[in-house]
Amino acid sequence: MNTATFSAPAAAAHDRFWNIVDTVGAWVLALLWITPLLFALWAAFHTASAALGLDWRAPLILDNFRQAWQAAPWLRYFLNTFVLVSLILIGQFTLCTLAGFAFARFQFAGKNLVFVLVLLQLFVLPEILIVENYAMVTRLGLFDTPLGMAVPYMASAFGIFLLRQAFMQIPRELEEAARIEGCGWFGVLWRVYVPAARPVYLAYALVSVATHWNNFLWPLIVTNSPATRPLTVGLSLFGAPESGVNISIVSAATLMAIAPLLAGFLVFQRQFIQAFLRAGIR
């Protein structure tokens, strides 16, 4: 009796202690993660000397954004990035939907082996395949084109796995009802499976757009002109030491580059979290 009486408060105190540790640790990691963004926000609205000196009395200015905008073809970079992420997303939705549906609903020889081989792609870093991808894109005549940047990322093992899991959770009765109504396999896929997996598509689209909006190494290698460069490559050239580094102007350009992603996250934050929870991503 005495042991049980004293163990319950001790266990509660132990749980409270670790909850506090987890909360403090989460706040510390969040502050460490957001500190560079906060400094960029501070520097973008101040002169370089005031930004580096953390002069709290310095006035706010907007001239950094004007100078940054005039120094590079940002509209072209934004358009190139939009075209790039759109091509990748359309390709991923098409290929991953068809592959995920095949793995979820059809039986064929070597199905499990092929699915394992697809999943092995998750263990292969894209950087390892850069040389081979570069050679293939060059042979196809797609060097320095948006399609050449997008093609290597259209077949996503993560997307195939995600949609396969989502399709397997959809009741077979819905498929049978659609078949009775006269739908073929593509009709079943389009009218039953795709609408039922809409939260998964939303979650995957947000992750895909954010990932490829920030992709840098592959676009840097496969582009050779301002007409095809995305934002990340343009920003790296804009902030190169040989072009002169002004921390305030570079910070203003950085904020312009990430503004669409920040706006998208703020607008779709609730849907983003709900989509992941409903999709069952762990």
Side-chain angles (χ1 to χ4, degrees):
M1 291 293 294
N2 291 338
T3 302
T5 302
F6 284 100
S7 62
H14 179 270
D15 292 340
R16 284 196 301 270
F17 171 77
W18 284 110
N19 286 336
I20 293 173
V21 171
D22 290 342
T23 302
V24 172
W27 275 103
V28 170
L29 291 176
L31 290 175
L32 290 175
W33 181 84
I34 203 174
T35 295
L37 180 60
L38 293 177
F39 178 77
L41 184 64
W42 162 263
F45 290 95
H46 294 84
T47 62
S49 58
L52 295 175
L54 296 179
D55 186 359
W56 301 101
R57 296 170 297 178
L60 299 177
I61 60 174
L62 296 175
D63 192 58
N64 295 324
F65 291 92
R66 181 185 62 80
Q67 295 185 46
W69 185 261
Q70 294 176 350
W74 295 108
L75 281 178
R76 169 58 64 178
Y77 293 159
F78 274 106
L79 178 61
N80 293 340
T81 304
F82 177 78
V83 170
L84 173 62
V85 298
S86 299
L87 285 174
I88 293 175
L89 191 61
I90 292 172
Q92 288 178 337
F93 275 178
T94 303
L95 296 177
C96 295
T97 296
L98 294 176
F101 183 62
F103 283 122
R105 284 298 184 251
F106 293 109
Q107 297 296 329
F108 52 89
K111 171 183 173 180
N112 294 332
L113 176 61
V114 174
F115 185 64
V116 170
L117 293 177
V118 170
L119 292 183
L120 286 178
Q121 183 189 344
L122 295 173
F123 298 94
V124 179
L125 295 176
E127 290 76 11
I128 297 176
L129 303 174
I130 278 183
V131 175
E132 185 60 33
N133 287 338
Y134 180 86
M136 181 61 68
V137 165
T138 303
R139 287 195 293 268
L140 294 174
L142 298 177
F143 180 78
D144 200 25
T145 64
L147 187 58
M149 284 187 287
V151 163
Y153 296 98
M154 287 185 177
S156 169
F158 176 67
I160 293 172
F161 170 77
L162 199 62
L163 290 174
R164 170 187 178 270
Q165 298 302 110
F167 291 158
M168 291 182 66
Q169 296 173 8
I170 297 173
R172 289 291 185 110
E173 290 77 9
L174 296 177
E175 174 187 324
E176 294 171 355
R179 297 285 290 177
I180 292 174
E181 293 294 328
C183 288
W185 283 116
F186 282 104
V188 171
L189 174 61
W190 182 251
R191 296 177 182 274
V192 176
Y193 286 93
V194 171
R198 188 172 299 168
V200 180
Y201 281 104
L202 175 60
Y204 183 71
L206 293 172
V207 173
S208 177
V209 169
T211 299
H212 297 291
W213 187 282
N214 294 318
N215 194 11
F216 170 71
L217 184 58
W218 172 246
L220 175 66
I221 293 174
V222 82
T223 58
N224 199 31
S225 64
T228 55
R229 286 175 187 148
L231 275 171
T232 51
V233 179
L235 184 61
S236 70
L237 297 176
F238 175 78
E242 57 268 18
S243 61
V245 176
N246 184 315
I247 189 64
S248 296
I249 297 178
V250 172
S251 297
T254 302
L255 289 183
M256 290 192 300
I258 66 175
L261 288 181
L262 289 177
F265 176 77
L266 293 177
V267 171
F268 296 105
Q269 180 181 9
R270 182 184 299 273
Q271 293 90 332
F272 178 76
I273 296 174
Q274 290 178 351
F276 267 99
L277 293 176
R278 292 163 63 182
I281 301 177
R282 298 293 184 263

